[in-house]
Amino acid sequence: MEKDIFCKIVDGEIPCHKLFEDADVMAFLDIAQVTKGHALVIPKQHYDNFLSTPSEIMHKVFDVAQRIGQIDIQFLGAKGVNILTNCYEVAGQTVNHFHVHVIPRYEKNEGFMLEMKAGSRNNLPIIAKTIKDNL
Ligand code: 5GP
């Protein structure tokens, strides 16, 4: 199977601005720089997305994302941070290798905008039961 772009970055076949690397996790600047310092944190081993990543590795990735977010605020002058991971194409995932975006925020109306419009509240008891019964 063709290697995805992040596997190629892990293997050093594609250059990146690396922020962190240990045995399991790597972090580097996103090529798109939605805002200054926009970073990606990934497991070095390939997993398609957050939902299919083993818990221990998923936690290691988020530990690094948290630290980068703290640094964005302490050292880059960010006033906030969005932590985001897209799962599957319908949710905006374009690279099928689990990654967490760490997006520093300096102003409300810049590069990254997330809008959550309230939707239907029909069938909430059934929806809640379906999730609860399967947790
Ligand atoms: P997704 O849309 O899957 O959540 O995010 C994929 C991200 O990977 C995008 O923000 C995109 O800019 C970034 N990206 C794609 N190709 C490369 C690359 O070759 N290098 C780096 N550093 N980032 C990349």
Side-chain angles (χ1 to χ4, degrees), residues 47 50-62 98:
Y47 299 102
F50 163 75
L51 298 176
S52 59
T53 301
S55 174
E56 189 192 343
I57 298 289
M58 181 271 288
H59 282 99
K60 286 182 176 178
V61 168
F62 272 97
F98 171 40

Side-chain angles (χ1 to χ4, degrees), residues 5-6 9 28-32 40 86 92-95 99 101:
I5 208 138
F6 294 165
I9 287 177
F28 48 88
L29 292 180
D30 191 299
I31 204 162
L40 298 171
N86 299 322
Q93 185 175 8
T94 60
V95 178
H99 54 283
H101 293 261

Side-chain angles (χ1 to χ4, degrees), residues 65-130:
Q66 182 191 48
R67 186 66 198 124
I68 292 172
Q70 291 165 343
I71 288 167
D72 290 343
I73 289 187
Q74 285 179 329
F75 298 102
L76 282 190
K79 299 190 186 96
V81 180
N82 288 100
I83 306 294
L84 175 75
T85 183
N86 299 322
C87 300
Y88 298 113
E89 194 180 345
V90 71
Q93 185 175 8
T94 60
V95 178
N96 291 325
H97 183 130
F98 171 40
H99 54 283
V100 175
H101 293 261
V102 183
I103 305 174
R105 301 300 300 274
Y106 304 91
E107 292 167 31
K108 279 199 173 160
N109 297 314
E110 62 189 343
F112 179 74
M113 267 173 269
L114 182 64
E115 191 177 15
M116 293 199 222
K117 290 186 187 161
S120 166
R121 293 172 55 172
N122 291 343
N123 302 321
L124 292 189
I126 294 168
I127 294 164
K129 183 171 171 15
T130 303

